[in-house]
Amino acid sequence: MGPVGARHCEGRAVVDITVVEVSPRDGLQNESVVLPTDAKVSLVQRLVDAGTSRIEAVSFAHPKLVPAMADAEEVMAGVPRVDGVSYAGLILNRRGLERALGTGIDEVNVVVGVSDTFSRRNQNVSSDEAMDAAGDVVAAARAEGLFTTLTLATSFGCPFEGEISPDRVLAYAERGAALGPDELCLADTIGVGTPNQVRTFTTRMRTEIGTTPVLRYHFHNTRGTGIANAYAALLDGVTVLDASAGGIGGCPFAPNATGNIATDDLVYLLDRMGLESGIDLERLMPTSAFLAVQLGHEVPALLPRAGNFPPA
Ligand code: ZN
């Protein structure tokens, strides 16, 4: 495989690949069971204990829109504050940022849907209006000294419009990059992407936008291509990937779908490729059993079923 870039220090451990853990937010938000606050805090504690350095812990979407995340302030008040562990909150608008600022959040993840229909259904604004709002949020968050990520949702396909033109995604990526976020994340919100799309996006992002902001990907395993997509990103030197412990979550547009790519399975791949993530699989894997009990169903991650290799 090609170079994966210089090792960079994320505070806790020197890592090759940063896994952004999204189970407390994207995972739990898309489960039918709403966990009590203390279980959410316990999940975050387990993730921190396993060596996770970046955790998307909460969403500051309106509680009526996302009831499962209504206790964002309480969750943030309960999470362990550990050197080198950074907590992110998902933000849709300035009002969400105002809520987030009081909670000790380290990062904000601002979302713009590149499909107009998705953006209107999800945020009640067009893609252009969402991008304008994101500009305000990124500027305000940067002024507060927060790390900022701009996520382009539905970059690989839309549940309402179907195919999304890569040119359209790149145009929004260019506008998004001009807002000055630290990261730009291309999200396969509904899990339809394939590795060839990933490689094309990675190449085009490099040649048409450059290496700033840092490119990050968010994959779902809805149709079984999630880990293949992660591998495609790794081949071209991408260093930041989202994943959720146990692979929990789902997709609001596909009721029976599984969730994000499983952190367990991604870290197994990274370990076997000799890429350091700072996450200890032996400590992470029991989280799947914890989540299965909390959610009342088996979780999609494969590694905890089969066991690590070679055995510890
Ligand atoms: Zn997602």
Side-chain angles (χ1 to χ4, degrees), residues 271-312:
D271 282 359
R272 298 295 285 172
M273 290 173 73
L275 295 170
E276 183 55 59
S277 67
I279 297 170
D280 181 342
L281 271 184
E282 296 302 327
R283 301 198 75 170
L284 176 71
M285 280 196 295
T287 306
S288 278
F290 166 80
L291 285 168
V293 170
Q294 293 291 329
L295 297 170
H297 64 75
E298 265 197 82
V299 299
L302 297 173
L303 189 80
R305 301 184 199 188
N308 201 359
F309 181 85

mmCIF file of all heavy atoms in Angstrom, residues 271-312:
data_model
loop_
_atom_site.group_PDB
_atom_site.id
_atom_site.type_symbol
_atom_site.label_atom_id
_atom_site.label_comp_id
_atom_site.label_asym_id
_atom_site.label_seq_id
_atom_site.Cartn_x
_atom_site.Cartn_y
_atom_site.Cartn_z
ATOM 1 N N ASP A 271 -4.887 -2.921 12.928
ATOM 2 C CA ASP A 271 -3.865 -3.691 13.661
ATOM 3 C C ASP A 271 -3.124 -4.633 12.720
ATOM 4 O O ASP A 271 -1.896 -4.721 12.735
ATOM 5 C CB ASP A 271 -4.497 -4.508 14.794
ATOM 6 C CG ASP A 271 -4.821 -3.669 16.018
ATOM 7 O OD1 ASP A 271 -4.544 -2.446 16.005
ATOM 8 O OD2 ASP A 271 -5.385 -4.224 16.987
ATOM 9 N N ARG A 272 -3.908 -5.357 11.914
ATOM 10 C CA ARG A 272 -3.296 -6.370 11.037
ATOM 11 C C ARG A 272 -2.537 -5.739 9.883
ATOM 12 O O ARG A 272 -1.714 -6.393 9.248
ATOM 13 C CB ARG A 272 -4.374 -7.332 10.526
ATOM 14 C CG ARG A 272 -5.072 -8.122 11.629
ATOM 15 C CD ARG A 272 -4.168 -9.081 12.356
ATOM 16 N NE ARG A 272 -3.854 -10.273 11.567
ATOM 17 C CZ ARG A 272 -2.950 -11.192 11.929
ATOM 18 N NH1 ARG A 272 -2.245 -11.038 13.049
ATOM 19 N NH2 ARG A 272 -2.735 -12.230 11.171
ATOM 20 N N MET A 273 -2.842 -4.462 9.584
ATOM 21 C CA MET A 273 -2.085 -3.736 8.565
ATOM 22 C C MET A 273 -0.878 -3.022 9.165
ATOM 23 O O MET A 273 -0.134 -2.341 8.455
ATOM 24 C CB MET A 273 -2.987 -2.697 7.879
ATOM 25 C CG MET A 273 -4.066 -3.299 6.988
ATOM 26 S SD MET A 273 -5.222 -2.034 6.354
ATOM 27 C CE MET A 273 -4.179 -1.215 5.133
ATOM 28 N N GLY A 274 -0.706 -3.156 10.497
ATOM 29 C CA GLY A 274 0.419 -2.497 11.146
ATOM 30 C C GLY A 274 0.230 -1.000 11.321
ATOM 31 O O GLY A 274 1.195 -0.247 11.431
ATOM 32 N N LEU A 275 -1.031 -0.574 11.369
ATOM 33 C CA LEU A 275 -1.338 0.848 11.542
ATOM 34 C C LEU A 275 -1.857 1.084 12.961
ATOM 35 O O LEU A 275 -2.862 0.481 13.372
ATOM 36 C CB LEU A 275 -2.383 1.295 10.512
ATOM 37 C CG LEU A 275 -1.916 1.236 9.044
ATOM 38 C CD1 LEU A 275 -3.101 1.450 8.093
ATOM 39 C CD2 LEU A 275 -0.833 2.283 8.791
ATOM 40 N N GLU A 276 -1.193 1.958 13.695
ATOM 41 C CA GLU A 276 -1.530 2.199 15.096
ATOM 42 C C GLU A 276 -2.698 3.182 15.201
ATOM 43 O O GLU A 276 -2.690 4.241 14.576
ATOM 44 C CB GLU A 276 -0.302 2.761 15.833
ATOM 45 C CG GLU A 276 -0.512 2.993 17.312
ATOM 46 C CD GLU A 276 -0.998 1.745 18.046
ATOM 47 O OE1 GLU A 276 -0.283 0.704 18.011
ATOM 48 O OE2 GLU A 276 -2.084 1.811 18.639
ATOM 49 N N SER A 277 -3.719 2.795 15.996
ATOM 50 C CA SER A 277 -4.854 3.693 16.236
ATOM 51 C C SER A 277 -4.913 4.168 17.685
ATOM 52 O O SER A 277 -5.711 5.054 18.009
ATOM 53 C CB SER A 277 -6.169 2.969 15.911
ATOM 54 O OG SER A 277 -6.384 1.905 16.835
ATOM 55 N N GLY A 278 -4.098 3.555 18.542
ATOM 56 C CA GLY A 278 -4.138 3.894 19.963
ATOM 57 C C GLY A 278 -5.241 3.160 20.715
ATOM 58 O O GLY A 278 -5.369 3.277 21.927
ATOM 59 N N ILE A 279 -6.078 2.400 19.991
ATOM 60 C CA ILE A 279 -7.213 1.708 20.618
ATOM 61 C C ILE A 279 -6.837 0.251 20.879
ATOM 62 O O ILE A 279 -6.326 -0.437 19.997
ATOM 63 C CB ILE A 279 -8.464 1.799 19.727
ATOM 64 C CG1 ILE A 279 -8.874 3.266 19.568
ATOM 65 C CG2 ILE A 279 -9.616 0.964 20.309
ATOM 66 C CD1 ILE A 279 -9.950 3.505 18.534
ATOM 67 N N ASP A 280 -7.084 -0.193 22.113
ATOM 68 C CA ASP A 280 -6.764 -1.548 22.544
ATOM 69 C C ASP A 280 -8.000 -2.432 22.333
ATOM 70 O O ASP A 280 -9.004 -2.289 23.035
ATOM 71 C CB ASP A 280 -6.364 -1.509 24.030
ATOM 72 C CG ASP A 280 -5.995 -2.888 24.563
ATOM 73 O OD1 ASP A 280 -6.363 -3.910 23.936
ATOM 74 O OD2 ASP A 280 -5.354 -2.930 25.621
ATOM 75 N N LEU A 281 -7.917 -3.337 21.368
ATOM 76 C CA LEU A 281 -9.088 -4.166 21.025
ATOM 77 C C LEU A 281 -9.579 -4.998 22.195
ATOM 78 O O LEU A 281 -10.791 -5.185 22.354
ATOM 79 C CB LEU A 281 -8.754 -5.098 19.847
ATOM 80 C CG LEU A 281 -8.999 -4.551 18.449
ATOM 81 C CD1 LEU A 281 -8.713 -5.636 17.423
ATOM 82 C CD2 LEU A 281 -10.425 -4.034 18.300
ATOM 83 N N GLU A 282 -8.645 -5.532 22.972
ATOM 84 C CA GLU A 282 -9.062 -6.383 24.095
ATOM 85 C C GLU A 282 -9.922 -5.592 25.084
ATOM 86 O O GLU A 282 -10.823 -6.129 25.714
ATOM 87 C CB GLU A 282 -7.846 -6.987 24.803
ATOM 88 C CG GLU A 282 -7.024 -7.929 23.920
ATOM 89 C CD GLU A 282 -7.836 -9.116 23.362
ATOM 90 O OE1 GLU A 282 -8.748 -9.597 24.058
ATOM 91 O OE2 GLU A 282 -7.556 -9.531 22.219
ATOM 92 N N ARG A 283 -9.617 -4.301 25.201
ATOM 93 C CA ARG A 283 -10.405 -3.462 26.106
ATOM 94 C C ARG A 283 -11.677 -2.947 25.434
ATOM 95 O O ARG A 283 -12.672 -2.684 26.108
ATOM 96 C CB ARG A 283 -9.562 -2.280 26.598
ATOM 97 C CG ARG A 283 -8.309 -2.719 27.329
ATOM 98 C CD ARG A 283 -7.728 -1.619 28.150
ATOM 99 N NE ARG A 283 -8.513 -1.397 29.361
ATOM 100 C CZ ARG A 283 -8.124 -0.616 30.355
ATOM 101 N NH1 ARG A 283 -6.970 0.011 30.293
ATOM 102 N NH2 ARG A 283 -8.879 -0.455 31.427
ATOM 103 N N LEU A 284 -11.619 -2.815 24.119
ATOM 104 C CA LEU A 284 -12.791 -2.290 23.408
ATOM 105 C C LEU A 284 -13.891 -3.331 23.239
ATOM 106 O O LEU A 284 -15.086 -3.030 23.391
ATOM 107 C CB LEU A 284 -12.380 -1.777 22.021
ATOM 108 C CG LEU A 284 -13.554 -1.282 21.158
ATOM 109 C CD1 LEU A 284 -14.106 0.036 21.705
ATOM 110 C CD2 LEU A 284 -13.143 -1.130 19.696
ATOM 111 N N MET A 285 -13.496 -4.579 22.929
ATOM 112 C CA MET A 285 -14.490 -5.578 22.508
ATOM 113 C C MET A 285 -15.639 -5.800 23.496
ATOM 114 O O MET A 285 -16.788 -5.977 23.072
ATOM 115 C CB MET A 285 -13.801 -6.891 22.152
ATOM 116 C CG MET A 285 -13.194 -6.872 20.747
ATOM 117 S SD MET A 285 -12.801 -8.520 20.155
ATOM 118 C CE MET A 285 -11.531 -9.011 21.298
ATOM 119 N N PRO A 286 -15.377 -5.796 24.826
ATOM 120 C CA PRO A 286 -16.510 -5.994 25.757
ATOM 121 C C PRO A 286 -17.591 -4.917 25.645
ATOM 122 O O PRO A 286 -18.721 -5.125 26.110
ATOM 123 C CB PRO A 286 -15.835 -5.967 27.133
ATOM 124 C CG PRO A 286 -14.401 -6.338 26.871
ATOM 125 C CD PRO A 286 -14.079 -5.744 25.519
ATOM 126 N N THR A 287 -17.258 -3.790 25.036
ATOM 127 C CA THR A 287 -18.251 -2.729 24.855
ATOM 128 C C THR A 287 -19.428 -3.219 24.018
ATOM 129 O O THR A 287 -20.576 -2.808 24.227
ATOM 130 C CB THR A 287 -17.592 -1.497 24.178
ATOM 131 O OG1 THR A 287 -16.455 -1.119 24.937
ATOM 132 C CG2 THR A 287 -18.551 -0.326 24.098
ATOM 133 N N SER A 288 -19.157 -4.115 23.072
ATOM 134 C CA SER A 288 -20.241 -4.663 22.241
ATOM 135 C C SER A 288 -21.268 -5.406 23.086
ATOM 136 O O SER A 288 -22.482 -5.268 22.873
ATOM 137 C CB SER A 288 -19.662 -5.617 21.187
ATOM 138 O OG SER A 288 -19.177 -4.891 20.085
ATOM 139 N N ALA A 289 -20.779 -6.204 24.030
ATOM 140 C CA ALA A 289 -21.701 -6.945 24.904
ATOM 141 C C ALA A 289 -22.500 -5.982 25.781
ATOM 142 O O ALA A 289 -23.706 -6.150 25.980
ATOM 143 C CB ALA A 289 -20.920 -7.932 25.770
ATOM 144 N N PHE A 290 -21.812 -4.968 26.277
ATOM 145 C CA PHE A 290 -22.486 -3.925 27.073
ATOM 146 C C PHE A 290 -23.603 -3.277 26.257
ATOM 147 O O PHE A 290 -24.734 -3.118 26.725
ATOM 148 C CB PHE A 290 -21.445 -2.885 27.512
ATOM 149 C CG PHE A 290 -22.031 -1.602 28.044
ATOM 150 C CD1 PHE A 290 -22.507 -1.521 29.344
ATOM 151 C CD2 PHE A 290 -22.094 -0.466 27.230
ATOM 152 C CE1 PHE A 290 -23.049 -0.333 29.828
ATOM 153 C CE2 PHE A 290 -22.632 0.728 27.714
ATOM 154 C CZ PHE A 290 -23.108 0.786 29.014
ATOM 155 N N LEU A 291 -23.285 -2.935 25.001
ATOM 156 C CA LEU A 291 -24.285 -2.274 24.154
ATOM 157 C C LEU A 291 -25.440 -3.215 23.813
ATOM 158 O O LEU A 291 -26.602 -2.793 23.753
ATOM 159 C CB LEU A 291 -23.622 -1.754 22.871
ATOM 160 C CG LEU A 291 -22.774 -0.498 23.064
ATOM 161 C CD1 LEU A 291 -21.915 -0.221 21.826
ATOM 162 C CD2 LEU A 291 -23.663 0.715 23.365
ATOM 163 N N ALA A 292 -25.124 -4.487 23.580
ATOM 164 C CA ALA A 292 -26.184 -5.457 23.261
ATOM 165 C C ALA A 292 -27.188 -5.543 24.406
ATOM 166 O O ALA A 292 -28.408 -5.599 24.177
ATOM 167 C CB ALA A 292 -25.570 -6.823 22.972
ATOM 168 N N VAL A 293 -26.683 -5.537 25.642
ATOM 169 C CA VAL A 293 -27.572 -5.579 26.813
ATOM 170 C C VAL A 293 -28.390 -4.293 26.892
ATOM 171 O O VAL A 293 -29.614 -4.321 27.074
ATOM 172 C CB VAL A 293 -26.755 -5.789 28.110
ATOM 173 C CG1 VAL A 293 -27.633 -5.575 29.336
ATOM 174 C CG2 VAL A 293 -26.128 -7.180 28.113
ATOM 175 N N GLN A 294 -27.719 -3.175 26.721
ATOM 176 C CA GLN A 294 -28.414 -1.884 26.843
ATOM 177 C C GLN A 294 -29.489 -1.720 25.768
ATOM 178 O O GLN A 294 -30.559 -1.170 26.023
ATOM 179 C CB GLN A 294 -27.402 -0.724 26.717
ATOM 180 C CG GLN A 294 -26.407 -0.638 27.877
ATOM 181 C CD GLN A 294 -27.082 -0.221 29.180
ATOM 182 O OE1 GLN A 294 -28.066 0.527 29.180
ATOM 183 N NE2 GLN A 294 -26.570 -0.709 30.299
ATOM 184 N N LEU A 295 -29.181 -2.177 24.559
ATOM 185 C CA LEU A 295 -30.089 -1.948 23.430
ATOM 186 C C LEU A 295 -31.094 -3.082 23.248
ATOM 187 O O LEU A 295 -32.068 -2.950 22.513
ATOM 188 C CB LEU A 295 -29.281 -1.766 22.135
ATOM 189 C CG LEU A 295 -28.353 -0.538 22.126
ATOM 190 C CD1 LEU A 295 -27.426 -0.584 20.905
ATOM 191 C CD2 LEU A 295 -29.170 0.752 22.123
ATOM 192 N N GLY A 296 -30.823 -4.208 23.895
ATOM 193 C CA GLY A 296 -31.767 -5.320 23.808
ATOM 194 C C GLY A 296 -31.692 -6.093 22.508
ATOM 195 O O GLY A 296 -32.639 -6.775 22.140
ATOM 196 N N HIS A 297 -30.579 -5.974 21.805
ATOM 197 C CA HIS A 297 -30.390 -6.786 20.594
ATOM 198 C C HIS A 297 -28.899 -6.969 20.336
ATOM 199 O O HIS A 297 -28.076 -6.197 20.818
ATOM 200 C CB HIS A 297 -31.080 -6.155 19.381
ATOM 201 C CG HIS A 297 -30.528 -4.804 18.972
ATOM 202 N ND1 HIS A 297 -29.337 -4.645 18.323
ATOM 203 C CD2 HIS A 297 -31.028 -3.552 19.140
ATOM 204 C CE1 HIS A 297 -29.125 -3.359 18.093
ATOM 205 N NE2 HIS A 297 -30.134 -2.681 18.590
ATOM 206 N N GLU A 298 -28.592 -7.980 19.533
ATOM 207 C CA GLU A 298 -27.205 -8.189 19.131
ATOM 208 C C GLU A 298 -26.711 -6.995 18.335
ATOM 209 O O GLU A 298 -27.498 -6.341 17.657
ATOM 210 C CB GLU A 298 -27.097 -9.440 18.249
ATOM 211 C CG GLU A 298 -26.735 -10.695 19.003
ATOM 212 C CD GLU A 298 -26.242 -11.780 18.057
ATOM 213 O OE1 GLU A 298 -25.049 -11.733 17.687
ATOM 214 O OE2 GLU A 298 -27.055 -12.642 17.689
ATOM 215 N N VAL A 299 -25.405 -6.748 18.382
ATOM 216 C CA VAL A 299 -24.860 -5.639 17.599
ATOM 217 C C VAL A 299 -24.144 -6.203 16.372
ATOM 218 O O VAL A 299 -23.741 -7.369 16.362
ATOM 219 C CB VAL A 299 -23.928 -4.756 18.463
ATOM 220 C CG1 VAL A 299 -24.712 -4.157 19.619
ATOM 221 C CG2 VAL A 299 -22.725 -5.538 18.956
ATOM 222 N N PRO A 300 -23.986 -5.394 15.320
ATOM 223 C CA PRO A 300 -23.496 -5.921 14.041
ATOM 224 C C PRO A 300 -21.995 -6.250 13.984
ATOM 225 O O PRO A 300 -21.590 -6.983 13.079
ATOM 226 C CB PRO A 300 -23.799 -4.784 13.044
ATOM 227 C CG PRO A 300 -24.786 -3.905 13.721
ATOM 228 C CD PRO A 300 -24.509 -4.028 15.176
ATOM 229 N N ALA A 301 -21.188 -5.722 14.887
ATOM 230 C CA ALA A 301 -19.736 -5.930 14.785
ATOM 231 C C ALA A 301 -19.412 -7.418 14.709
ATOM 232 O O ALA A 301 -20.002 -8.235 15.422
ATOM 233 C CB ALA A 301 -19.030 -5.297 15.980
ATOM 234 N N LEU A 302 -18.467 -7.770 13.860
ATOM 235 C CA LEU A 302 -18.125 -9.182 13.650
ATOM 236 C C LEU A 302 -17.018 -9.655 14.583
ATOM 237 O O LEU A 302 -17.021 -10.798 15.034
ATOM 238 C CB LEU A 302 -17.720 -9.395 12.191
ATOM 239 C CG LEU A 302 -18.829 -9.104 11.176
ATOM 240 C CD1 LEU A 302 -18.309 -9.171 9.747
ATOM 241 C CD2 LEU A 302 -19.989 -10.068 11.363
ATOM 242 N N LEU A 303 -16.040 -8.799 14.849
ATOM 243 C CA LEU A 303 -14.890 -9.222 15.638
ATOM 244 C C LEU A 303 -15.263 -9.772 17.016
ATOM 245 O O LEU A 303 -14.750 -10.816 17.428
ATOM 246 C CB LEU A 303 -13.870 -8.083 15.780
ATOM 247 C CG LEU A 303 -12.560 -8.543 16.396
ATOM 248 C CD1 LEU A 303 -11.683 -9.232 15.363
ATOM 249 C CD2 LEU A 303 -11.816 -7.394 17.051
ATOM 250 N N PRO A 304 -16.176 -9.088 17.757
ATOM 251 C CA PRO A 304 -16.505 -9.612 19.081
ATOM 252 C C PRO A 304 -17.165 -10.996 19.028
ATOM 253 O O PRO A 304 -17.107 -11.751 19.993
ATOM 254 C CB PRO A 304 -17.486 -8.565 19.643
ATOM 255 C CG PRO A 304 -17.209 -7.333 18.865
ATOM 256 C CD PRO A 304 -16.826 -7.799 17.490
ATOM 257 N N ARG A 305 -17.803 -11.353 17.900
ATOM 258 C CA ARG A 305 -18.397 -12.691 17.773
ATOM 259 C C ARG A 305 -17.309 -13.742 17.536
ATOM 260 O O ARG A 305 -17.367 -14.843 18.057
ATOM 261 C CB ARG A 305 -19.361 -12.731 16.567
ATOM 262 C CG ARG A 305 -20.472 -11.743 16.662
ATOM 263 C CD ARG A 305 -21.417 -11.928 15.491
ATOM 264 N NE ARG A 305 -22.242 -10.723 15.310
ATOM 265 C CZ ARG A 305 -23.264 -10.649 14.473
ATOM 266 N NH1 ARG A 305 -23.593 -11.687 13.733
ATOM 267 N NH2 ARG A 305 -23.956 -9.526 14.363
ATOM 268 N N ALA A 306 -16.356 -13.369 16.674
ATOM 269 C CA ALA A 306 -15.333 -14.353 16.258
ATOM 270 C C ALA A 306 -14.141 -14.398 17.198
ATOM 271 O O ALA A 306 -13.494 -15.419 17.336
ATOM 272 C CB ALA A 306 -14.843 -13.998 14.848
ATOM 273 N N GLY A 307 -13.875 -13.257 17.864
ATOM 274 C CA GLY A 307 -12.690 -13.156 18.704
ATOM 275 C C GLY A 307 -11.527 -12.582 17.923
ATOM 276 O O GLY A 307 -11.471 -12.673 16.697
ATOM 277 N N ASN A 308 -10.593 -12.019 18.677
ATOM 278 C CA ASN A 308 -9.422 -11.396 18.062
ATOM 279 C C ASN A 308 -8.482 -12.472 17.526
ATOM 280 O O ASN A 308 -8.593 -13.659 17.883
ATOM 281 C CB ASN A 308 -8.700 -10.535 19.100
ATOM 282 C CG ASN A 308 -7.810 -9.481 18.460
ATOM 283 O OD1 ASN A 308 -7.699 -9.375 17.232
ATOM 284 N ND2 ASN A 308 -7.179 -8.683 19.312
ATOM 285 N N PHE A 309 -7.592 -12.059 16.647
ATOM 286 C CA PHE A 309 -6.581 -12.978 16.109
ATOM 287 C C PHE A 309 -5.261 -12.234 15.965
ATOM 288 O O PHE A 309 -5.267 -11.127 15.416
ATOM 289 C CB PHE A 309 -7.014 -13.548 14.755
ATOM 290 C CG PHE A 309 -6.004 -14.518 14.192
ATOM 291 C CD1 PHE A 309 -6.025 -15.855 14.557
ATOM 292 C CD2 PHE A 309 -5.004 -14.075 13.337
ATOM 293 C CE1 PHE A 309 -5.080 -16.734 14.068
ATOM 294 C CE2 PHE A 309 -4.058 -14.946 12.844
ATOM 295 C CZ PHE A 309 -4.089 -16.292 13.212
ATOM 296 N N PRO A 310 -4.131 -12.827 16.370
ATOM 297 C CA PRO A 310 -4.069 -14.077 17.119
ATOM 298 C C PRO A 310 -4.678 -13.902 18.507
ATOM 299 O O PRO A 310 -4.727 -12.794 19.010
ATOM 300 C CB PRO A 310 -2.561 -14.364 17.210
ATOM 301 C CG PRO A 310 -1.901 -13.040 16.999
ATOM 302 C CD PRO A 310 -2.812 -12.218 16.149
ATOM 303 N N PRO A 311 -5.156 -15.014 19.107
ATOM 304 C CA PRO A 311 -5.786 -14.916 20.427
ATOM 305 C C PRO A 311 -4.822 -14.314 21.448
ATOM 306 O O PRO A 311 -3.624 -14.573 21.376
ATOM 307 C CB PRO A 311 -6.113 -16.371 20.784
ATOM 308 C CG PRO A 311 -6.067 -17.115 19.486
ATOM 309 C CD PRO A 311 -5.087 -16.410 18.601
ATOM 310 N N ALA A 312 -5.370 -13.493 22.351
ATOM 311 C CA ALA A 312 -4.515 -12.839 23.361
ATOM 312 C C ALA A 312 -3.928 -13.866 24.317
ATOM 313 O O ALA A 312 -4.578 -14.861 24.602
ATOM 314 C CB ALA A 312 -5.347 -11.819 24.122
#
